[in-house]
Amino acid sequence: IGEVTAKLTLAVLGNVKRFDPTGDGKGAKRASSFVGFGISEYQSGTRMIKKGISKRGNSKLRGMLFMAAMNAIRTDEGYKQKHQQFKEHGRSGKLSLTNIAHSLVRRCYGVLRSGRPYDSQIPQLAGA
């Protein structure tokens, strides 16, 4: 993530402690939903349809994170492998980029929450 994207992320998220007030560990997920990467659902009767991302957050930040995801595929081996796995399973490249951008928001949240600089040597969680 570049300097401009990092500044916009910080400006949009603000105080990240507000996303996890009870300490239940779901703050990163709430922050990602706040940006607009939450799942939009439609329900009618017993039928529920998941329609994609909600797009309710800051569209400028979401677009910048999408571009950062494209760069991450080129430079980060973990994201490159993740992108390949999506393609091997027949999923679209756009879905893969959205998933990686979602992951970048979660990493940004972790850095802001901990107050420490990002360290790529720290093992990542499986879903992060």
Side-chain angles (χ1 to χ4, degrees), residues 106-117:
R106 294 171 68 104
R107 283 188 181 184
C108 288
Y109 172 83
V111 167
L112 293 172
R113 178 80 177 168
S114 70
R116 289 181 279 159

Side-chain angles (χ1 to χ4, degrees), residues 88-102:
E88 288 171 3
H89 288 15
R91 296 184 177 132
S92 72
K94 192 172 182 180
L95 180 63
S96 171
L97 288 171
T98 303
N99 186 287
I100 291 169
H102 165 76

Side-chain angles (χ1 to χ4, degrees), residues 27-54:
K29 184 176 181 178
R30 289 185 188 115
S32 185
S33 292
F34 181 77
V35 173
F37 288 111
I39 299 296
S40 176
E41 298 176 343
Y42 171 77
Q43 184 175 2
S44 178
T46 59
R47 188 172 72 172
M48 184 177 290
I49 300 169
K50 294 182 179 181
K51 297 178 8 176
I53 63 172
S54 68

Side-chain angles (χ1 to χ4, degrees), residues 4-16 18-19 30-36 56-62 64-65 105 112:
V4 174
T5 306
K7 287 179 180 179
L8 184 60
T9 303
L10 182 59
V12 169
L13 293 181
N15 183 6
V16 294
R18 68 186 170 135
F19 294 111
R30 289 185 188 115
S32 185
S33 292
F34 181 77
V35 173
R56 285 191 166 201
N58 188 307
S59 61
K60 187 168 186 84
L61 177 58
R62 212 173 30 255
M64 291 177 95
L65 287 166
V105 172
L112 293 172

